[in-house]
């Protein structure tokens, strides 16, 4: 779980916290150079071979996208081929299994045909609360691709990048205080309980399948943009589990996320502290409601300060996620096996 992938992430964080961290940054950079051998280092200039990453079943669909040979070039990994052709099992450099299809048993692992030493990747973007059947996979997978920062191949739902070029547009004009989009509404969920506690004190406009106010296909962002705050309540609370509800529905739309998820410190590993409101910052739902409803414009604008130097990058494309395996490949740990994948993921 070391190597360039993690190092690049650390460097990205260092850039976020650029002020006062120069010494640390230089040190990290030096460590990174020492760890990661450059291709062609040591005088040889042979081109690197093309890697073949076999995706055993494309996530959530029986109709995989067309995957031209240069699919990964646009994600910075030109010598990398994604394929869903199972005839390549014998020769693939890594094989990826997406958990959902394993869980519902649409897919079975080709254990009896596995070439010796072939790295197998377990891939999932779901939280532990929505992941079943991991106990069956002891001692099988070598690498994990997920939103968890300690994954071998770390693929967050989004991240902040340094902004270059023109200043960001002003936040759109606001007409409401708080919006929430929800398609799966169940009383036992913490997010529903919190909504019930907030509703008497704060007008929350609820959209989505569960609300009787469904949104048309491309209306979510423009709808949320009219509100000051967006309830970015995760369906379950787990470390690093910060999904498109936060990155897209709130930040990209231009609304300030009010988050229910992992603790504040976990969010601050991804975004600056003044980019969001955390429900844990308040003693009660009533206090939170009072804070949101009573906020003046100058206080509100402070939630947008970071946008002058950073911008949101969504990482929602499975092709990009899988191509990231190639960027990480030279530095992924060889010989590692997840003996207790369930224990690791549920921890
Ligand atoms: C799958 O790969 C095999 C072996 O390289 C090849 O013969 C076959 O044509 C490929 N199938 C498709 C549909 O590309
Ligand atoms: C706006 O609210 C902040 C924080 O509550 C407060 O410190 C500030 O004085 C207020 N500004 C105005 C102009 O009312």
């Amino acid at each position: 779980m070391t190597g360039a992938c993690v190092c690049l992430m650390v460097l990205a964080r260092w850039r976020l916290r650029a002020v006062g961290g120069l010494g640390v940054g230089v040190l990290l950079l030096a460590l990174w150079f020492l760890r990661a051998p450059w291709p062609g280092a040591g005088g040889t200039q042979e081109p690197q071979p093309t890697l073949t990453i076999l995706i055993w079943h494309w996530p959530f669909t029986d109709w995989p996208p067309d995957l031209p040979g240069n699919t990964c070039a646009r994600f910075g990994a030109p010598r990398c081929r994604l394929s869903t052709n199972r005839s390549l099992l014998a020769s693939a450099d890594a094989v990826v299994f997406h958990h959902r299809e394993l869980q519902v048993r649409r897919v079975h692992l080709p254990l009896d045909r596995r070439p010796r030493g072939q790295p197998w990747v377990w891939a999932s973007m779901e939280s532990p609360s929505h992941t079943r059947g991991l106990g069956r996979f002891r001692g099988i997978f070598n690498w994990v691709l997920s939103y968890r920062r300690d994954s071998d191949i770390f693929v967050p739902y989004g991240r902040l990048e340094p902004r270059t070029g023109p200043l960001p547009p002003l936040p759109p004009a606001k007409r409401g205080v708080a919006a929430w989009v929800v398609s799966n509404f169940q009383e036992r969920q913490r997010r529903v309980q919190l909504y019930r506690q907030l509703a008497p004190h704060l007008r929350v406009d609820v959209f989505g399948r569960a609300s009787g106010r469904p949104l048309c296909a491309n209306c979510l962002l423009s709808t949320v943009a009219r509100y000051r705050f967006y309830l970015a309540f995760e369906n379950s609370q787990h470390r690093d589990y910060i999904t498109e509800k936060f990155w897209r529905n709130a930040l990209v739309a231009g609304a300030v996320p009010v988050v229910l998820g992992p603790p504040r410190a976990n969010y601050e590993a991804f975004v600056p502290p003044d980019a969001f409101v955390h429900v844990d910052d308040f003693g009660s739902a009533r206090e939170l409601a009072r804070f949101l409803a009573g906020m003046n414009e100058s206080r509100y604008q402070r939630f947008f300060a970071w946008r002058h130097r950073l911008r949101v990058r969504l990482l929602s494309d499975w092709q990009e996620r899988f191509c990231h395996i190639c960027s990480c490949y030279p530095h992924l740990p060889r010989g590692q096996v997840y003996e207790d994948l369930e224990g690791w993921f549920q921890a």
Side-chain angles (χ1 to χ4, degrees):
M1 331 224 167
T2 55
C5 293
V6 177
C7 286
L8 285 172
M9 192 183 79
V10 173
L11 283 174
R13 284 191 62 194
W14 166 66
R15 292 180 76 160
L16 274 181
R17 286 146 201 257
V19 194
L22 194 64
V24 177
V26 169
L27 183 68
L28 283 172
L29 202 58
L31 282 171
W32 183 63
F33 275 107
L34 286 174
R35 297 199 77 93
W38 282 116
T44 56
Q45 290 298 320
E46 310 146 22
Q48 284 196 313
T50 295
L51 294 172
T52 298
I53 309 297
L54 174 56
I55 315 301
W56 196 250
H57 189 287
W58 200 264
F60 304 111
T61 177
D62 289 338
W63 306 98
D66 269 336
L67 297 166
N70 62 353
T71 297
C72 293
R74 64 197 165 102
F75 303 120
R79 298 191 167 278
C80 182
R81 173 170 60 143
L82 300 185
S83 176
T84 54
N85 182 346
R86 291 186 181 181
S87 308
L88 302 177
L89 177 63
S91 61
D93 295 288
V95 185
V96 182
F97 298 90
H98 180 247
H99 183 72
R100 178 51 56 96
E101 290 75 35
L102 294 172
Q103 177 171 301
V104 300
R105 297 183 190 256
R106 279 187 74 72
V107 158
H108 299 278
L109 297 173
L111 284 165
D112 50 345
R113 289 183 286 140
R114 180 180 193 173
R116 187 186 297 274
Q118 182 179 64
W120 279 13
V121 183
W122 180 82
S124 181
M125 295 298 281
E126 302 299 321
S127 81
S129 292
H130 294 90
T131 302
R132 291 187 309 279
L134 274 186
R136 291 189 280 134
F137 305 131
R138 298 183 74 86
I140 292 174
F141 292 104
N142 307 98
W143 301 327
V144 163
L145 177 151
S146 86
Y147 62 85
R148 272 259 300 263
R149 279 178 295 160
D150 56 348
S151 302
D152 303 286
I153 303 120
F154 167 51
V155 286
Y157 279 87
R159 64 164 179 254
L160 297 184
E161 293 181 339
R163 176 183 289 282
T164 52
L167 284 177
L170 291 169
K174 305 295 181 179
R175 274 181 261 160
V177 177
W180 188 31
V181 175
V182 61
S183 51
N184 174 8
F185 188 94
Q186 293 175 44
E187 295 295 338
R188 63 181 165 74
Q189 293 173 337
R190 224 184 121 198
R191 62 179 177 183
V192 170
Q193 292 158 10
L194 181 56
Y195 164 73
R196 294 266 187 234
Q197 292 164 355
L198 273 174
H201 310 292
L202 181 75
R203 174 165 174 180
V204 179
D205 287 352
V206 184
F207 301 91
R209 252 186 293 141
S211 71
R213 287 164 90 179
L215 283 172
C216 55
N218 290 312
C219 302
L220 188 143
L221 294 183
S222 59
T223 302
V224 171
R226 292 189 274 115
Y227 291 83
R228 285 187 143 197
F229 298 98
Y230 180 79
L231 305 189
F233 290 0
E234 300 298 349
N235 64 25
S236 51
Q237 287 69 53
H238 298 278
R239 67 168 144 144
D240 299 334
Y241 188 62
I242 300 171
T243 69
E244 76 290 338
K245 296 173 176 64
F246 177 82
W247 295 106
R248 180 174 185 272
N249 299 9
L251 294 185
V252 171
V256 173
V258 178
V259 303
L260 170 69
R264 168 171 273 280
N266 200 162
Y267 281 89
E268 290 183 8
F270 290 86
V271 296
D274 59 358
F276 62 95
V277 177
H278 199 297
V279 300
D280 291 351
D281 295 344
F282 301 88
S284 67
R286 184 185 201 137
E287 260 180 56
L288 169 60
R290 202 175 285 156
F291 176 78
L292 299 178
M295 185 171 297
N296 63 34
E297 187 61 24
S298 60
R299 174 70 189 87
Y300 182 66
Q301 287 301 327
R302 276 177 30 210
F303 286 108
F304 290 80
W306 59 272
R307 292 174 189 256
H308 290 274
R309 53 193 176 90
L310 298 164
R311 65 161 176 224
V312 177
R313 171 118 153 69
L314 296 177
L315 300 160
S316 50
D317 178 347
W318 279 104
Q319 293 185 40
E320 179 168 17
R321 289 170 180 162
F322 291 144
C323 289
H324 196 44
I325 298 171
C326 297
S327 323
C328 294
Y329 196 87
H331 313 291
L332 290 170
R334 308 288 143 170
Q336 163 182 284
V337 178
Y338 282 83
E339 292 299 343
D340 182 10
L341 183 60
E342 181 165 43
W344 178 84
F345 195 52
Q346 301 286 345

